[in-house]
Amino acid sequence: MKEWWSGLQARERKTLMAGGVALAITLLYFGLWDPFQSNLKRMEQAVEKNQALLLWMERSAAEVKQLSRAKAGSGGRSAAARSLLALVDQTAKRGRLGVALKRVEPEGKDAVRVWLEQASFDDMMSWLIKLEQKNGVIVENITVDRQDAPGRVNARIRLKEPAA
């Protein structure tokens, strides 16, 4: 290699050195600097986007709190009726009555009315027993109609929150 280098004329050596320096600068620019700048720009844009999202979330959270306070003070359905409604819905779905559960609606301040169609009688009874034993929910009124399929019933049930 030294022989080849020394065999070149001074002008050729200068040209090769200049080309080598230019190649090194080009490799540094496209290999390090440009990717670094691109990633930096992408990250800055992501930060801006996330800051905007955070601001929106904070505003929305404040609005939700304000609306929930306004609804609580507006004389709407009581918290007990809403919690009983949610309890009945959740436990019915967990008690394998999700498909049979056709409607749940509040009735008064502390009661809900439930409509079941083509429900398994055994599953319905297990569900009602668990509601009473675990949550103190009272079956105030129930109407059960037998269906053609064995073990299947339609039911209208009025459930009441236990007295505090």
Side-chain angles (χ1 to χ4, degrees):
M1 184 77 155
K2 285 185 180 182
E3 289 178 23
W4 174 78
W5 183 258
S6 59
L8 294 175
Q9 294 179 5
R11 185 179 206 185
E12 290 174 335
R13 282 191 288 240
K14 287 180 184 179
T15 303
L16 282 175
M17 285 175 53
V21 169
L23 180 62
I25 290 172
T26 303
L27 288 175
L28 284 174
Y29 178 79
F30 288 108
L32 296 174
W33 184 257
D34 191 45
F36 175 76
Q37 289 296 318
S38 297
N39 285 338
L40 182 63
K41 185 178 252 183
R42 192 170 7 99
M43 287 180 187
E44 286 172 346
Q45 290 171 345
V47 166
E48 288 175 10
K49 185 177 176 182
N50 288 337
Q51 285 175 337
L53 181 60
L54 176 62
L55 181 62
W56 176 81
M57 288 177 154
E58 288 171 343
R59 287 180 183 163
S60 296
E63 187 176 336
V64 166
K65 285 179 184 176
Q66 182 182 8
L67 289 172
S68 66
R69 277 190 229 118
K71 187 172 184 177
S74 69
R77 280 187 251 144
S78 71
R82 283 194 297 269
S83 67
L84 180 60
L85 191 68
L87 175 71
V88 167
D89 187 57
Q90 290 171 357
T91 56
K93 288 178 181 171
R94 274 190 261 133
R96 299 185 307 215
L97 292 171
V99 175
L101 185 66
K102 295 304 174 189
R103 192 163 71 187
V104 180
E105 66 183 30
E107 188 169 83
K109 290 183 179 181
D110 59 348
V112 295
R113 186 161 299 275
V114 180
W115 283 263
L116 298 172
E117 292 181 8
Q118 293 296 321
S120 162
F121 180 79
D122 294 338
D123 290 345
M124 179 186 71
M125 292 307 295
S126 294
W127 171 63
L128 292 172
I129 290 167
K130 285 178 186 174
L131 270 177
E132 183 178 342
Q133 290 176 348
K134 291 184 178 179
N135 305 101
V137 175
I138 300 163
V139 178
E140 195 169 73
N141 186 2
I142 185 168
T143 304
V144 180
D145 298 318
R146 183 175 47 149
Q147 297 300 296
D148 294 335
R152 296 288 171 181
V153 295
N154 287 350
R156 306 295 174 263
I157 308 166
R158 186 174 195 273
L159 301 170
K160 189 171 182 180
E161 187 92 344

